[in-house]
């Protein structure tokens, strides 16, 4: 038997090797440069509203114009999905990772991965029997989502959503098209496993017009019926249903009641280890090629059971809190580890009436800001000191704050609420006011000479907000 020190050393070496692989080849370390269409030549940024609206039987999909300079600069696409009560958003996947924020409502969400076991048992259809004569259904994990949840969906992962609540479920989604995981072009591409022919607001079929490339039909429509029938070993009549385009769109009203087990309704969940046995060959794609046959390394357990959502409304988890100014809740890879894989993060902010978000810039990422409530006066300064954004934004508006561009915001009389999506899993911001600011780090003589002011005035700049950072209470002056 090998000494414990050797085992520990081998484990440490493996972890180092794995981290190096992730650093060199991982999604969070893109090495490709921006194309000419993506160069951040921003003379003016505008708060915008969706330009495409697609009507389906059970809801609507709204898409912001990808051709806008601000979205080209950030390399993102923005989508707002509204699912009506008891409606189903059909299974689909996209060409890049995305973050979704649940603005309103509740529902159940399924995200599937190849190679992961089916650890959940749900009721089968009435009158149906499983392979073993039991009325049950085996499937991968299903999660409950509610207002304030941030959901991470990796590229190529199939997801579906059912609104089982009594109000509309509204989700705002940002897709990171410039992520290293997307090796296609910088266009939004959605691949649907079912449905088709959603109608746009202008009456055109889904995907026509603009620069939005979304499949009109589901992916099975292109394949030969006989080949699919042989692949699934089923009659061709079933395959025709897979290929059928009935014009309901991609959010539909289910004809049969959906009852899927979610965690809080589960009485007994099959242990993962029992499900993993006999499926090791399906999980080997998550294991290093040099690992011993059948040996456990923890990667498949970590990946298949990884947490996909985090609620951003929890006040006790606020990273910045001020009774006079508001609060900030940052969800990065430390709170939600899967964000390290997709290299994204998000911030939930709440400013009290007339409070300020300190002048600052982001050192690591672009930010896509979606206003969820209230209003604010927001300004953004470019590299030449020019004003590229100077607007009052309100609920439903979207705007981009490019990396290194300096921004400041003052809430209106009704306060200001927002969620910002960031293109880095470990975002870092540098404030210009407060006890963590640049001015606090500078010697007084540097400040006095740089701005030709007195020592007393320099001290005011440096120390007047010494008990606050990022979120600033309204000034008494």
């Amino acid at each position: 038997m090998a000494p414990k020190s050797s085992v520990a050393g081998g484990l440490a070496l493996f972890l180092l090797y794995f981290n190096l692989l992730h650093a060199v080849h991982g999604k969070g370390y893109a090495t490709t440069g921006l194309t000419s269409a993506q160069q951040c030549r921003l003379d003016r940024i505008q708060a915008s509203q969706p330009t495409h609206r697609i009507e389906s039987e059970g809801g609507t999909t709204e898409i912001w114009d990808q051709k806008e300079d601000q979205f080209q600069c950030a390399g993102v696409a923005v989508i707002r999905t509204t699912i009506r009560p008891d409606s189903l958003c059909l299974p689909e996947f996209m060409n890049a990772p995305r973050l979704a924020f649940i603005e309103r409502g509740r529902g159940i969400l399924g995200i599937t991965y190849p190679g992961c076991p089916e650890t959940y048992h749900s009721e089968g259809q009435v009158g149906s029997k499983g392979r073993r004569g039991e009325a049950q259904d085996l499937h991968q994990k299903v999660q409950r989502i509610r207002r304030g949840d941030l959901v991470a969906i990796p590229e190529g992962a199939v997801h579906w959503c059912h609104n089982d609540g009594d109000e509309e479920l509204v989700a705002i989604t940002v897709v990171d098209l410039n992520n290293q995981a997307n090796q296609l072009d910088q266009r939004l591409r959605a691949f649907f496993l079912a449905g088709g022919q959603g109608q746009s607001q202008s009456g055109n079929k889904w995907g026509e017009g603009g620069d939005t490339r979304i499949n009109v039909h589901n992916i099975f429509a292109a394949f030969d019926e006989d080949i699919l029938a042989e692949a699934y070993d089923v009659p061709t009549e079933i395959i025709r249903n897979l290929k059928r385009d009935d014009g309901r769109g991609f959010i539909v009203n289910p004809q049969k009641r959906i009852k899927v087990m979610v965690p809080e309704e589960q009485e007994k969940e099959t242990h993962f280890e029992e499900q993993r046995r006999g499926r090791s060959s399906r999980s080997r794609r998550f294991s290093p090629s040099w690992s011993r046959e059948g040996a456990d390394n923890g990667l498949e357990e970590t990946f298949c059971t990884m947490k996909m959502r985090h609620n951003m409304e929890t006040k006790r988890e606020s990273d910045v809190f001020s009774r006079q100014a508001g609060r900030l809740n940052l969800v990065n890879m430390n709170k939600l580890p899967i964000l390290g894989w997709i290299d994204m993060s998000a911030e939930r902010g709440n400013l009290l009436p007339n409070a300020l978000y300190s002048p600052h810039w982001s050192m690591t990422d672009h930010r896509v800001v979606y206003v969820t409530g209230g209003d604010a006066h927001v300004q953004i300064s470019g590299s030449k000191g020019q004003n590229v954004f100077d607007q009052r934004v309100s609920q439903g508006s979207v705007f981009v704050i490019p990396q290194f561009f300096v921004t400041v915001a003052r809430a209106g009389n009704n306060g200001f609420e927002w969620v910002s999506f960031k293109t880095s899993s470990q975002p870092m911001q540098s404030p210009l006011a407060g006890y963590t600011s640049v001015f606090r780090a500078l010697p007084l003589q540097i400040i006095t000479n740089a701005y030709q002011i007195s020592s007393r005035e320099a001290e005011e700049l440096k120390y007047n907000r010494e008990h606050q950072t990022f979120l600033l209470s309204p000034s008494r002056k």
Side-chain angles (χ1 to χ4, degrees):
M1 181 178 295
K4 291 184 178 180
S5 59
S6 299
V7 175
L11 178 60
L13 182 61
F14 162 73
L15 292 175
L16 176 61
Y17 178 78
F18 179 74
N19 288 332
L20 285 173
L21 283 178
H22 185 263
V24 176
H25 302 290
K27 306 174 183 63
Y29 296 84
T31 56
T32 56
L34 297 177
T35 64
S36 59
Q38 294 174 270
Q39 297 292 335
C40 296
R41 298 164 181 162
L42 296 174
D43 296 323
R44 197 70 184 166
I45 299 174
Q46 296 287 338
S48 63
Q49 298 287 336
T51 55
H52 298 74
R53 180 183 174 91
I54 298 95
E55 291 284 350
S56 295
E57 179 186 59
T60 60
T61 304
E62 299 168 286
I63 306 174
W64 275 254
D65 186 3
Q66 288 180 252
K67 294 186 294 184
E68 287 191 26
D69 290 341
Q70 57 180 337
F71 299 133
Q72 288 285 310
C73 172
V76 299
V78 185
I79 307 168
R80 183 167 58 204
T81 305
T82 301
I83 307 174
R84 301 187 186 103
D86 200 32
S87 294
L88 172 68
C89 186
L90 296 173
E92 52 89 4
F93 63 91
M94 287 188 177
N95 58 319
R98 51 186 151 158
L99 285 179
F101 175 76
I102 308 303
E103 183 179 7
R104 187 169 72 249
R106 66 193 294 268
I108 54 176
L109 174 73
I111 304 175
T112 66
Y113 301 96
C116 292
E118 301 86 3
T119 56
Y120 277 49
H121 290 192
S122 293
E123 294 182 7
Q125 296 293 336
V126 177
S128 67
K129 296 291 182 180
R131 291 292 185 182
R132 299 179 181 177
E134 301 173 353
Q136 65 175 5
D137 176 32
L138 298 178
H139 56 82
Q140 289 189 17
K141 185 177 182 179
V142 176
Q143 306 181 56
R144 168 69 63 190
I145 55 174
R146 59 187 175 90
R147 181 181 181 274
D149 276 352
L150 180 73
V151 182
I153 306 176
E155 69 289 343
V158 173
H159 107 285
W160 56 268
C161 184
H162 176 232
N163 182 355
D164 63 348
D166 54 5
E167 64 173 332
E168 290 182 338
L169 192 159
V170 180
I172 181 76
T173 302
V174 170
V175 187
D176 186 9
L177 297 170
N178 198 41
N179 194 283
Q180 179 76 358
N182 177 27
Q183 298 188 27
L184 300 176
D185 51 32
Q186 301 299 316
R187 295 174 178 174
L188 174 64
R189 296 177 183 269
F191 300 84
F192 292 90
L193 275 65
Q197 298 295 338
Q199 296 287 336
S200 72
Q201 191 176 37
S202 61
N204 296 325
K205 298 298 183 182
W206 182 307
E208 293 183 2
D211 205 27
T212 303
R213 302 290 188 263
I214 299 181
N215 291 355
V216 174
H217 308 285
N218 70 63
I219 59 176
F220 293 107
F223 295 113
D224 181 80
E225 289 183 3
D226 294 333
I227 293 178
L228 288 179
E230 184 176 354
Y232 285 97
D233 192 20
V234 296
T236 54
E237 289 76 11
I238 296 179
I239 298 303
R240 293 192 186 101
N241 285 332
L242 263 65
K243 295 165 61 72
R244 185 174 59 188
D245 184 352
D246 52 15
R248 296 188 297 164
F250 301 102
I251 306 174
V252 302
N253 298 325
Q255 296 179 354
K256 298 180 181 180
R257 183 174 64 95
I258 296 178
K259 186 176 181 181
V260 179
M261 184 188 63
V262 292
E264 62 266 29
E265 299 166 356
Q266 178 186 5
E267 294 181 358
K268 182 179 180 180
E269 179 178 352
T270 304
H271 193 275
F272 178 84
E273 187 66 24
E274 295 177 354
Q275 293 295 319
R276 188 187 61 79
R277 292 170 185 167
R279 294 182 171 92
S280 60
S281 60
R282 295 166 55 190
S283 297
R284 282 178 201 141
R285 67 183 295 270
F286 302 108
S287 306
S289 59
W290 44 264
S291 64
R292 292 184 292 113
E293 182 72 18
D296 297 334
N297 55 46
L299 285 182
E300 63 272 16
E301 287 88 345
T302 300
F303 188 87
C304 294
T305 60
M306 190 174 290
K307 185 180 177 184
M308 299 293 160
R309 63 180 177 86
H310 187 94
N311 193 272
M312 305 183 74
E313 302 288 353
T314 307
K315 293 184 179 180
R316 65 177 179 271
E317 291 188 1
S318 297
D319 298 279
V320 179
F321 177 79
S322 169
R323 295 182 184 275
Q324 294 79 35
R327 60 186 175 89
L328 291 177
N329 191 339
L330 174 66
V331 178
N332 57 17
M333 62 180 293
N334 296 322
K335 290 185 180 179
L336 193 60
I338 192 174
L339 297 180
W341 289 79
I342 68 175
D343 199 29
M344 298 181 73
S345 58
E347 173 188 88
R348 179 71 164 137
N350 184 309
L351 274 180
L352 297 180
N354 302 311
L356 288 88
Y357 197 159
S358 170
H360 66 279
W361 68 89
S362 174
M363 302 173 66
T364 55
D365 54 274
H366 301 298
R367 286 171 284 172
V368 182
V369 181
Y370 176 76
V371 182
T372 60
D375 64 282
H377 181 198
V378 180
Q379 294 183 316
I380 302 175
S381 173
S383 59
K384 299 178 182 179
Q386 78 277 28
N387 190 308
V388 298
F389 186 92
D390 188 359
Q391 286 185 242
R392 182 164 292 276
V393 295
S394 56
Q395 185 172 4
S397 297
V398 171
F399 60 95
V400 171
I401 305 176
Q403 183 183 14
F404 303 120
F405 280 45
V406 182
T407 182
V408 64
R410 179 195 292 275
N413 293 330
N414 297 317
F416 181 50
E417 297 181 5
W418 74 94
V419 59
S420 62
F421 302 84
K422 303 167 182 280
T423 58
S424 171
S425 59
Q426 284 282 48
M428 182 179 296
Q429 294 176 180
S430 181
L432 284 168
Y435 68 82
T436 59
S437 70
V438 171
F439 279 100
R440 282 297 296 268
L442 293 175
L444 283 173
Q445 292 185 1
I446 300 299
I447 299 175
T448 57
N449 283 280
Y451 300 102
Q452 295 184 334
I453 57 178
S454 67
S455 297
R456 182 175 180 179
E457 291 170 328
E459 288 180 358
E460 290 182 352
L461 279 175
K462 186 168 182 175
Y463 297 113
N464 274 10
R465 292 286 189 174
E466 63 178 342
H467 299 299
Q468 295 178 309
T469 184
F470 286 109
L471 303 185
L472 311 176
S473 59
S475 174
R476 292 187 296 270
K477 296 182 181 179

